[in-house]
Amino acid sequence: MNTRVLTGITTTGTPHLGNYAGAIRPAILASTQPGVDAFFFLADYHALIKCDDPARVARSRLELAATWLAAGLDPERVTFYRQSDVPEIPELCWLLTCVTPKGLMNRAHAYKASVDQNAAKGVEPDDGVTMGLFSYPILMAADIVMFNAHKVPVGRDQVQHLEMARDIAQRFNHLYGSDFFVLPEVVIEEEVATLPGLDGRKMSKSYNNTVPLFEGGAAALRAAVMRIVTDSRQPGEPKDAEGSHLYTLYRAFATPEESAAFRAQLEGGMGWGEAKTALYERLEGILAPMRERYDALMAHPERIEEILRHGAARARAMAGPALQVLREAVGLRNLGAQAADKKGARAKAAKGARFVSFRDADGSFRFRLLAADGQELLTSQAYADPKQAGAAMKRLPAEAQLRATGDASYAVQLDGADVAASPEGTAAGTIDRTRDALAELAQ
């Protein structure tokens, strides 16, 4: 079975050299590996949370799409689409919103950071906080589980959002009684290159220290490289290659052998001006062919539009049927079919006992055993790990040992230890119903 990997790119800016080395290049390389089913999307709904400049969002959508395609993304091999072209995603976002506890969103890092900043300013805690910012993790969860992605590569700052996506998907699965969603696996990008900028700090537009990728052409690239800060050592003096961010940049775009040769030249006294020229030529040799493709795409945005619409059609071919199943699950059903199935559905519901999972306010996981008529028969102990709770549920029907603990109360054991107990106020004879329910599930 292929592994489905999903990556989203927020459309709020123009890519620079650090974006290419840290995200674009490794993601495109990963998409070419055998057994990988890759989904790449422009997260333009997410952009509206961060940016209220329509022109900037529109320009960024075009530039980002052109950049990824120019850098080698194959739209025939991957599913490449705009988030806003798949209406099933915001509809799913609402379904997930309706099962997501507000307390979970209260703990989101971005929201808490805004509240802390407001507290430091002495203003209302929610001043300037939009519902887009507050519920951002739910939209991210919809992006991921809409296509049942197995793996989502993220930086450490996004790990919490992936954990929330798992929580939300699991809650929906438990509430509606089926494994509708795959629980996505967090892939932390430890090896992603973090390039230094012109001043040695992390390359970021926030620091105004970036090296342009395509913007401004070769002249802008050369001008940026020549502004890289170096020490005062003169030509002929040995340079500290490891301590030079100019060498770090060169190494990110060269083979180990080429990097070793460049390092030897620096340590042998190469002047900084000559070293910068060598870096520029190295970068230009790599970027020039991509820039040519980028310029051709930017000159014909209709080509990009066609590619994105084709990708959206592929995405919707999967999202549409999946969402219809979810609509049925929550009760948004065809009325004619509902009338025809009502009798059968009631009969089916009346036949079986069932387990229902839930999560406590403290974050721990539990489950209940309900009789066919909805009577609560058992409540489990708390588990820190949902997998442990699930394993106990699977074992109970065949392996449980019931023991009386009072006139009508009882406990259930696995391996000699109590794992669940009767609810308070249990009526006499309920232990027999519990035994029958477990036997039924065992069959």
Side-chain angles (χ1 to χ4, degrees):
M1 183 183 74
N2 286 351
T3 298
R4 184 163 291 172
V5 180
L6 182 140
T7 300
I9 311 102
T10 306
T11 57
T12 54
T14 301
H16 53 70
L17 193 68
N19 299 141
Y20 172 72
I24 298 173
R25 182 173 62 180
I28 292 175
L29 178 61
S31 74
T32 65
Q33 302 305 305
V36 171
D37 183 15
F39 281 61
F40 290 82
F41 69 95
L42 302 177
D44 46 2
Y45 277 146
H46 286 294
L48 304 182
I49 299 169
K50 305 176 182 179
C51 180
D52 58 4
D53 181 351
R56 179 181 171 189
V57 172
R59 182 70 180 178
S60 181
R61 294 203 314 169
L62 175 62
E63 290 176 341
L64 276 165
T67 297
W68 281 79
L69 293 168
L73 183 69
D74 182 356
E76 295 302 318
R77 185 182 181 93
V78 307
T79 303
F80 185 45
Y81 58 98
R82 282 176 298 221
Q83 183 186 38
S84 60
D85 284 340
V86 185
E88 290 83 0
I89 292 172
E91 183 172 351
L92 174 58
C93 180
W94 181 249
L95 298 185
L96 298 181
T97 298
C98 293
V99 304
T100 300
K102 177 178 178 291
L104 184 64
M105 294 298 95
N106 288 342
R107 297 193 290 274
H109 294 326
Y111 173 64
K112 289 175 66 177
S114 295
V115 171
D116 290 344
Q117 290 171 7
N118 286 336
K121 296 176 185 176
V123 298
E124 289 293 321
D126 288 333
D127 185 62
V129 176
T130 66
M131 284 305 299
L133 173 65
F134 183 71
S135 59
Y136 165 88
I138 308 178
L139 179 56
M140 185 171 175
D143 291 325
I144 296 165
V145 303
M146 180 81 265
F147 301 104
N148 279 324
H150 300 104
K151 295 185 178 182
V152 183
V154 295
R156 286 199 171 274
D157 60 330
Q158 290 291 315
V159 169
Q160 186 200 43
H161 289 154
L162 263 293
E163 292 173 344
M164 287 181 167
R166 286 177 60 91
D167 287 346
I168 294 167
Q170 189 172 52
R171 185 180 180 87
F172 190 99
N173 286 349
H174 288 164
L175 184 61
Y176 292 105
S178 186
D179 292 332
F180 296 104
F181 301 123
V182 169
L183 302 186
E185 178 184 340
V186 178
V187 179
I188 301 174
E189 298 181 309
E190 299 284 14
E191 301 302 321
V192 166
T194 300
L195 294 189
L198 304 182
D199 56 2
R201 293 181 292 176
K202 175 184 176 181
M203 191 178 294
S204 170
K205 289 197 172 184
S206 301
Y207 298 143
N208 193 29
N209 67 350
T210 61
V211 176
L213 187 59
F214 302 136
E215 193 177 21
L221 175 64
R222 184 182 187 91
V225 170
M226 294 303 165
R227 293 200 306 274
I228 294 174
V229 175
T230 56
D231 62 31
S232 58
R233 298 180 200 188
Q234 298 300 309
E237 293 185 67
K239 310 299 187 295
D240 176 15
E242 284 299 325
S244 165
H245 42 278
L246 188 148
Y247 172 67
T248 302
L249 284 165
Y250 189 96
R251 187 171 55 190
F253 293 91
T255 66
E257 294 76 18
E258 291 166 337
S259 299
F262 186 63
R263 175 176 181 156
Q265 289 178 300
L266 286 172
E267 293 174 345
M270 174 191 277
W272 287 124
E274 186 181 353
K276 289 179 180 179
T277 297
L279 173 60
Y280 161 72
E281 291 175 350
R282 161 65 53 184
L283 293 175
E284 179 62 11
I286 294 170
L287 299 183
M290 290 192 285
R291 187 189 305 122
E292 185 177 349
R293 294 193 293 271
Y294 175 83
D295 289 342
L297 286 164
M298 291 294 288
H300 294 280
E302 70 278 3
R303 296 178 186 171
I304 302 176
E305 182 71 21
E306 182 180 356
I307 289 170
L308 290 171
R309 288 193 178 276
H310 176 67
R314 290 173 60 180
R316 294 198 68 191
M318 291 176 272
L323 188 64
Q324 186 56 41
V325 171
L326 299 174
R327 289 173 62 89
E328 291 277 339
V330 301
L332 306 180
R333 300 164 185 159
N334 178 288
L335 297 182
Q338 181 175 337
D341 294 341
K342 191 173 183 181
K343 183 177 180 181
R346 283 179 176 173
K348 183 178 178 180
K351 288 180 181 178
R354 63 195 183 278
F355 285 111
V356 177
S357 301
F358 65 98
R359 194 169 186 180
D360 283 338
D362 63 2
S364 60
F365 297 86
R366 295 177 184 267
F367 59 84
R368 295 188 178 97
L369 174 62
L370 304 181
D373 60 3
Q375 180 187 359
E376 183 178 339
L377 304 175
L378 288 174
T379 301
S380 78
Q381 67 180 27
Y383 292 89
D385 185 346
K387 293 182 180 179
Q388 292 178 326
M393 273 195 295
K394 289 181 180 179
R395 293 182 58 196
L396 276 182
E399 302 178 38
Q401 297 293 323
L402 273 69
R403 66 179 186 88
T405 56
D407 291 341
S409 59
Y410 50 91
V412 177
Q413 294 184 327
L414 286 174
D415 302 325
D418 290 350
V419 296
S422 56
E424 293 184 9
T426 301
T430 305
I431 189 171
D432 294 326
R433 293 201 74 191
T434 303
R435 190 174 288 110
D436 292 342
L438 290 171
E440 175 187 330
L441 290 171
Q443 295 174 2

